[in-house]
Structures are given as structure tokens and as C-alpha cells.
Amino acid sequence: MKALLHAEKAGIEGLSYGELTEVNPGPGEVRVRLKTAGLNHRDLFILHRHKPTDPPLVVGSDGAGVIDAVGDGVVGVEVGDEVMINPGLGWKEVSDVPPEGFEIVGLPDHGTFAEQIIVPAENAVAKPAHLSWEEAGVLSLAALTAYRALFTRGKVRSGMNVFIPGIGGGVATFLLQFAKAAGAKVYVTSRSQEKREKALQLGAEAALASNEDWEQALAGVKMDLVIESVGAATINKSLKQLRRGGTIVTFGSSTGDTVEINLRDFFYGQYNLLGSTMGSGEEYKNMIEFITEHKIKPVLDQMYQLEDFTDAFKRLEEAKQLGKIGFYVG
Amino acid sequence: MKALLHAEKAGIEGLSYGELTEVNPGPGEVRVRLKTAGLNHRDLFILHRHKPTDPPLVVGSDGAGVIDAVGDGVVGVEVGDEVMINPGLGWKEVSDVPPEGFEIVGLPDHGTFAEQIIVPAENAVAKPAHLSWEEAGVLSLAALTAYRALFTRGKVRSGMNVFIPGIGGGVATFLLQFAKAAGAKVYVTSRSQEKREKALQLGAEAALASNEDWEQALAGVKMDLVIESVGAATINKSLKQLRRGGTIVTFGSSTGDTVEINLRDFFYGQYNLLGSTMGSGEEYKNMIEFITEHKIKPVLDQMYQLEDFTDAFKRLEEAKQLGKIGFYVG
């Protein structure tokens, strides 16, 4: 089968489009013939985390396709089922942290940038009918991260004011769509005029420029919940928009990890700072139910043939995308 | 009536033991003839926060005594009741932050360092029989702060490992007693050998020196919950003792407010950092029930006559106490 393999060199230069031997699913596993796959920042990191001296690795965490082989003892899914891949391996129920042995599809096990993938049967989840193959392929990792941050950790409720600094990326776009569907009022920021306009189309109450005075622009509106992935550049500005007793969930720090916090302001404000990551299988299923109920679709940036991987990875690396980048892999 | 008044000068020099006119309780209020009162760090701060140009102020937040007059419309308490003062004014039910208008007894309203105090009837709470007057007088503010940090915010449960850096102060001692009574295993730190020994007597599993290597001393035991009031000097060391997904509650920063946090470590660890303050009337009543059920008594340092206030305030300022400092005021 055709696959995008990482070997020999760190970074994009280590990627090559080539052949990999087909394998059969083991007990409890299924083989999915993938149609589409989605590109995430994680795939860029993996090109530096996967040792070039280790055996070649198929990268990629997101994908969708049709089950074409089923291992012994598998119940609940069968050949011909249209499925999406839940990329979290070994984390079943909602819990505060994943169990020992938790891994994400695409390292150390082969990922989705290939014609086929073998996953545990529980990680092949029925594709909602309202999603196209393109949409189903790019959704999983970002939507699951957004779901856990917003619902499990942030406990978003109807009527809340939710603030999302840095609305460009895939997770942030889902955060906006999910929070809006949950009945919250959503405020966002971005450096890009185009991304601010897109956010307003998706239902944001206001879209602030990154460099404007947020406090002034919000004119006294305080946030019940902030979902932060920008990090050093925004976290203290974000804290200032929070109402006393409000919650800030952090799952990323794209502008830097080290931040200075004033503890006295923090405890007098009775704030909550909660760390979050991607989530469990239970949260994945709840997320799929939620997007099905609310007919939520990912914002698609651009689809590529897998052999054009260099253009796709570079587009993500240069942050030129608006929404999710996908591949046709089948 | 006799009272300790603050006027004219900031700090301890502005205090004088003198006379104040007796007043009668208004509608919904009671007058309590105080027997004892307790000294808190707050009383030291107040001597700098209360403007010497404003009318003289009776400081003090903690006290216990007997109701000797009842205003119109008061139900549930009567003259002769033995009561403790809940120092939180205008915060009835548990909530994430106090309502607008919330104040603490002792600024701007007169406090407990006097023969009498007028408070809303709901702030006069029946004294548990197992407490002496000395114990009842020094308990409220510190025990309420500990209760909210540990139960409402930290959600302590039986079997948890709880870490309390800086075991010297009044709140920390209650934290140790409450956590122990709730079935947790409690680990503490202190600079003082004497305080470490006292903590072990009160049931701590281990008492670490402030300057030793905590990670090594704890030999792999990780904490479910850390209650932090030391601040800059310890917060990152405390975070390192926390299990992934664990919670750190902060309600003080005696060694400095500004702290540097690594956000990436924080969100990968899925930690929770929660600010806390003193609590509501509902939490006060739950706290009184809890100490009654578990027969918890405050650790008493020393009792003073109110006219010897200078010695008492200096003892607190120099952190020489072990447990609570109290006054005989009646």
C-alpha cells in the first residue's frame, strides 16, 4: 500500500511517499481503508520527535474510511462500516489524566497518512452522515481537544461569555463552533483580518485584533471562561478579561511556555487555571454526538493528494491555513 | 465599653486601649458580649489599610461570647445564646465569589477587639460545646479559610495525599487537622523544627524541612492536592510534588506574589490551580459541624489581656507563635 513515511532525517526532509507492506488486523483490531486524512501541528512535531534511526513511521493522527478487515473477537463494527479514527489509544473513560500506556495514533504506531491503518476496534467510530469524507478525515484530534477543553474542563453552559484568543487554528475554530452551539456568547482575537471575518461569520460576538486594547474593546464585558492556547503572549491579557471566579483552560502555548502570574491577584479573584490535552474515547463519542446533533462541520482549508505532502506541511508550518488541511489518501 | 481602637497612625503605634460608647442592635442584628477574640494576620494588614484620618476603628475579626441584646425581627437566636462570630458579612450561600458588598468584620465595620460587637443575627453561630471560650474565640477566620480551600475548592476525599507547605500559621494548622479528619494523608513542610514536631503530633505522615529536597524526601509519593499559601518561594516546588491531574489551591503568597509557571508542563500535567479566600456563611456552618463531629480544637499559642495588645501583635508580626494568639476581651 501507499504511505507517507518518515525516516532518516528529522523534519519534512525525512518524509517520502512510498510503499509499505499490508498487514492483517490482530485480535480486537480492525483494518480501515482510509479515504481521507487530516494534518495537525502534532504531525510537524512528530517529524522531530520520531528518531530517524528508528524504523520508518507512517505519521498522521486524523483519518476516515471504510473497515475492510476485522480481527478475532471484534464486536460492534463490521466490514463495510464507514468510520472515523479516534486517535487516542488506550484511554477509554473520561478521567483527569490518561492511563499509563496511552498513545496517540501516529507515534509509536503507524498513523493515517496511508491507504490503510490498523487500530483497536473501539477506535473506529461511525462517521456521522452529515459529514463528507473530506470533513470526516480532518476532524478528530482538533475537535476532541476542543471538546475536552470546553466541556469536560471548562464546563461551558448556555449564556456564558467565552473568550478564545488566537482564532486561527483548527482547535480554536472548533472551540468557537462548539461554544456557540452550546449557547455561549463567543469573543475571539486574531492577528489576521481574514480570520476575524471568518470568526464573525461563524457566529462570534466580536473579533478583536491581537494588538488592540482588549479591555477597552470589550467595554466591560467580562468572560466566564477563557480557552487559551496562545500562551506567553496572551495569558495575562486573557486573565484580565476573566470575571472573578472565572475559569481559564490552557492546552497550548504557541508563543512561549514561561509565563509570569501574580498569585495575589489570582487568589483574590478566585480564578481557576486548568490544563487540558486531547481526550478519552468517551469524550470522542460525546463529541461526535454533539456535532451530529448540531450539524457542525469543520472549516476546510485545502485538500491535497498525499504525494503533494510537502506543500501541505509547509502551508501548516507557515500558518497560512484557515481551518483544516486534509489529504486524499485512498 | 472597653475597646482596642485604631486611629491617627498606621501600624501598631496607631492602636490604643480605650472607651467606646455602647450601641444597641438595629433590625436583624444582635449584640454579643464578647469573652474572647482571636488575632489574625489580617489585623496587622488592617492597621495599614484603615486610614488614620477616618473615624477610629475597632479591629479584629474573630470572637466568641454571649448574646445580650437582640434587634427587631431577629429569629433563631436569643439573649443568653453562646455564640461565635462568623466574620464574613453579606456572603450567605456557597458561590464561586462573594456577592457585591461583601465585607469582613473589622473594616469598615467595628471588629471583635472590644467588650461588645453588633453583627447581623446570621453571623452569630452557636458555639460547639467541645470548645472552650479561648478556643472558640480564635477559630473563625482561619478555620473558614482552611475549610473553603480544602473542601469547597480542593474537594479533599478520604485516601488522598495532601501537601501543606509552611505549616506554621493558623490556617495551615487547621488544614492539617481538617485533612487528617477527612481521611487524607497529610505531608507538611516548615523551617522550624518545633513546628515540624507539632505537625507530626497532629498526625502528619511526614514533616519536611523547607530547604531539603522534597522530591527525594517524599521518595516517589505524589500529592493529589496541594494547599499553598507560601507563594513565590514554594509554588514550583509544590507543583513538582503533584500527581498528574492533581490540584493546587492557593490562598496566600507570604513570600511573594509574582511566580513563573511553565504552561506546557502545566497543561500536559492537566493540573488545576485554584484561587481561594475565606468563605460563605454556609461554609462556616458546615465547618462548625465538621469540627463538632471530629472534636477538632484549634492549637492555642498564647492568650493575652486586651490591654497587652502590643506584645500580642508583635508576637504575630515576628511569626513567633505556634497556633493561634487570642485575647480575653470581656
Side-chain angles (χ1 to χ4, degrees), chain A residues 31 41 45 51-52 84 103 108 160 175 179 187 239 313-314:
Chain A
R31 189 172 67 202
H41 277 283
F45 303 148
K51 282 194 201 130
M84 298 169 56
E103 297 288 357
M160 273 189 175
L175 285 167
Y187 300 80
L239 261 169
F313 273 79
K314 292 228 157 128

Side-chain angles (χ1 to χ4, degrees), chain B:
Chain B
M1 67 157 171
K2 290 287 184 187
L4 185 62
L5 289 158
H6 184 252
E8 291 177 12
K9 282 184 206 152
I12 298 176
E13 297 81 56
L15 286 173
S16 63
Y17 182 65
E19 277 292 328
L20 198 70
T21 312
E22 284 191 21
V23 287
N24 290 318
E29 295 177 337
V30 297
R31 189 173 65 202
V32 178
R33 182 158 294 277
L34 293 161
K35 290 181 177 287
T36 52
L39 186 60
N40 289 292
H41 277 282
R42 177 181 155 84
D43 305 318
L44 280 170
F45 304 147
I46 290 295
L47 302 183
H48 296 275
R49 208 180 299 163
H50 173 240
K51 283 194 202 126
T53 50
D54 281 350
L57 174 78
V58 178
V59 292
S61 299
D62 285 348
V66 179
I67 292 179
D68 82 341
V70 164
D72 289 343
V74 167
V75 286
V77 291
E78 55 185 34
V79 170
D81 281 2
E82 300 191 341
V83 296
M84 298 169 57
I85 308 295
N86 164 17
L89 299 170
W91 187 3
K92 296 186 185 181
E93 279 88 41
V94 183
S95 58
D96 52 11
V97 283
E100 281 298 307
F102 166 74
E103 297 288 358
I104 298 174
V105 163
L107 183 80
D109 293 346
H110 283 320
T112 54
F113 295 168
E115 287 181 290
Q116 294 176 1
I117 188 172
I118 308 275
V119 290
E122 73 219 24
N123 287 73
V125 177
K127 176 178 95 64
H130 79 286
L131 293 183
S132 69
W133 283 112
E134 288 82 355
E135 291 161 348
V138 302
L139 183 123
S140 292
L141 190 62
L144 178 55
T145 303
Y147 190 88
R148 180 169 171 89
L150 195 62
F151 291 90
T152 309
R153 301 293 274 149
K155 297 193 170 27
V156 71
R157 289 189 308 277
S158 183
M160 273 188 174
N161 290 336
V162 176
F163 191 58
I164 308 166
I167 197 59
V171 183
T173 310
F174 285 120
L175 285 167
L176 164 54
Q177 292 173 289
F178 291 0
K180 185 81 192 156
K185 288 182 178 171
V186 188
Y187 300 80
V188 308
T189 78
S190 176
R191 279 177 299 189
S192 146
Q193 168 90 24
E194 193 190 358
K195 290 179 182 181
R196 294 198 297 271
E197 277 168 14
K198 182 72 190 173
L200 292 171
Q201 283 168 26
L202 288 171
E205 303 290 317
L208 316 183
S210 300
N211 58 0
E212 74 180 299
D213 183 331
W214 294 355
E215 209 154 351
Q216 199 175 3
L218 292 170
V221 175
K222 286 287 180 181
M223 301 298 145
D224 300 290
L225 179 60
V226 175
I227 312 280
E228 245 294 337
S229 63
V230 180
T234 57
I235 195 139
N236 277 296
K237 285 173 77 182
S238 293
L239 261 168
K240 276 195 189 146
Q241 313 319 317
L242 204 55
R243 71 157 172 84
R244 293 188 318 135
T247 294
I248 180 159
V249 176
T250 168
F251 69 90
S253 52
S254 54
T255 60
D257 300 337
T258 306
V259 297
E260 219 174 60
I261 302 264
N262 185 297
L263 268 188
R264 182 167 297 271
D265 293 346
F266 191 88
F267 64 74
Y268 275 128
Q270 307 216 37
Y271 298 121
N272 309 287
L273 175 66
L274 312 181
S276 192
T277 64
M278 63 97 78
S280 63
E282 187 179 348
E283 286 158 309
Y284 189 84
K285 280 175 189 158
N286 292 343
M287 178 275 288
I288 295 288
E289 266 176 39
F290 185 83
I291 64 162
T292 304
E293 183 189 340
H294 294 281
K295 297 281 177 290
I296 292 169
K297 298 173 170 214
V299 175
L300 269 177
D301 177 67
Q302 208 165 310
M303 294 294 294
Y304 291 84
Q305 297 299 323
L306 192 49
E307 46 267 56
D308 300 328
F309 62 90
T310 306
D311 294 346
F313 273 79
K314 293 228 156 129
R315 185 166 173 83
L316 181 66
E317 198 170 47
E318 291 160 14
K320 288 192 176 154
Q321 87 287 3
L322 200 166
K324 296 292 302 181
I325 295 169
F327 290 115
Y328 293 109
V329 296

